[in-house]
Amino acid sequence: MNWQNLIKYSSVQLRKLDEQGAPCGIGSGCLLDFKQQRFLITVFHVAEKSSDWCAQIKFNEDIQQIEVLFLNEFSFIGDFSSDKKSIKDVEFSFHPVRPDFKCYFHNRDWRGDTLEITERPVLSTADIGEPNKLTKYGFSGDIRPELIPDQNAFITDHHIYHGLEYDRTENDLHYFKMPEDHPGHDFFQGCSGAPIIGEDGKVVSLVSGGSLETNEIYGNNLAKCIRTLDRFIK
């Protein structure tokens, strides 16, 4: 799969549900095969310590509803603070799923007609790398959610962003410069947890946030998180 398609299809869409089961928040993640297990991974500030999330699978044409996988509380890891006096939450969360779990990029128009449906790729540890300054990076996710109760509908825009350039790593976050002025946080809200993928096909980070002032997107140190996960899982 080429770079643009890997960016487009890899980001699994997460939905937070309220007490009535209606979507009230969105985020992103991706699937990872690791040690004969399959995981859904995202960033900690999306999943936090909540069990109110589900992963969107695809729209079921027969029953005219979106199929989802209801999730329990995500697992997370901690690390020492810089002064070594306390434990902080690492910007990484993971949730086991069935080894044969699949989900799909399912693009439908406003009439409900399917424009495209493609199975989302599952990453492996061979796909994870360290960022470098010679490679362009990108990510994707759903943004601008809108709930339409009278039509029992929940709609989003799918956003794909290319052209990031790796700048530096600070405090276990990778910082990427944007190719143009930051358009505002609303333009990326929902992309948190999406994999940041290079032209070489390597996944180097999961989107964590951004800065208008410095014109940057930043994400976690995914390679380090996976090394920690390796020690955690027997």
Side-chain angles (χ1 to χ4, degrees):
M1 186 176 290
N2 65 36
W3 175 52
Q4 288 87 355
N5 284 341
L6 193 58
I7 290 171
K8 178 180 179 180
Y9 299 130
S10 292
S11 183
V12 175
Q13 302 312 307
L14 305 179
R15 306 289 185 249
K16 188 174 185 180
L17 305 177
D18 62 19
E19 294 180 353
Q20 286 71 46
C24 61
I26 60 176
S28 300
C30 59
L31 295 173
L32 172 72
D33 277 353
F34 184 69
K35 287 191 169 182
Q36 289 79 53
Q37 300 182 62
R38 182 161 295 178
F39 294 93
L40 175 60
I41 61 174
T42 185
V43 289
F44 177 79
H45 87 262
V46 166
E48 293 185 328
K49 300 174 184 178
S50 169
S51 58
D52 299 327
W53 288 87
C54 65
Q56 189 164 290
I57 299 174
K58 66 177 180 179
F59 186 80
N60 188 314
E61 303 279 0
D62 294 331
I63 62 175
Q64 290 294 296
Q65 289 184 347
I66 295 175
E67 296 179 10
V68 299
L69 174 67
F70 292 100
L71 303 169
N72 296 316
E73 184 175 314
F74 279 75
S75 299
F76 56 95
I77 55 181
D79 194 7
F80 284 108
S81 60
S82 56
D83 59 9
K84 306 298 182 182
K85 294 182 179 180
S86 61
I87 299 293
K88 63 178 181 178
D89 295 321
V90 174
E91 185 70 315
F92 177 73
S93 293
F94 58 97
H95 192 296
V97 295
R98 287 173 55 98
D100 59 351
F101 174 73
K102 297 177 181 179
C103 60
Y104 301 82
F105 174 87
H106 195 167
N107 186 18
R108 301 164 63 237
D109 64 17
W110 63 273
R111 293 183 297 269
D113 295 331
T114 293
L115 302 176
E116 179 185 5
I117 182 167
T118 301
E119 184 178 329
R120 296 192 184 278
V122 179
L123 307 175
S124 70
T125 53
D127 299 314
I128 296 172
E130 300 283 356
N132 67 80
K133 295 188 176 184
L134 300 178
T135 303
K136 293 287 197 303
Y137 294 90
F139 62 91
S140 72
D142 283 359
I143 62 172
R144 299 192 179 103
E146 182 179 358
L147 182 63
I148 309 176
D150 60 332
Q151 298 182 27
N152 194 29
F154 181 75
I155 60 175
T156 58
D157 294 334
H158 186 69
H159 178 56
I160 302 173
Y161 197 84
H162 297 138
L164 297 174
E165 295 183 351
Y166 171 68
D167 184 66
R168 68 195 186 282
T169 298
E170 293 179 1
N171 300 319
D172 282 333
L173 290 178
H174 297 318
Y175 288 80
F176 301 83
K177 291 294 183 181
M178 302 175 65
E180 64 234 351
D181 291 342
H182 195 302
H185 295 303
D186 288 347
F187 203 69
F188 298 112
Q189 190 173 6
C191 293
S192 289
I196 298 177
I197 303 173
E199 294 171 301
D200 56 0
K202 296 295 184 181
V203 182
V204 298
S205 186
L206 304 178
V207 174
S208 181
S211 171
L212 277 74
E213 291 76 16
T214 59
N215 207 40
E216 293 174 324
I217 294 291
Y218 49 84
N220 68 357
N221 187 336
L222 183 58
K224 181 177 179 180
C225 292
I226 297 302
R227 290 194 294 271
T228 302
L229 186 62
D230 185 31
R231 294 192 290 270
F232 178 82
I233 298 174
K234 303 299 183 183

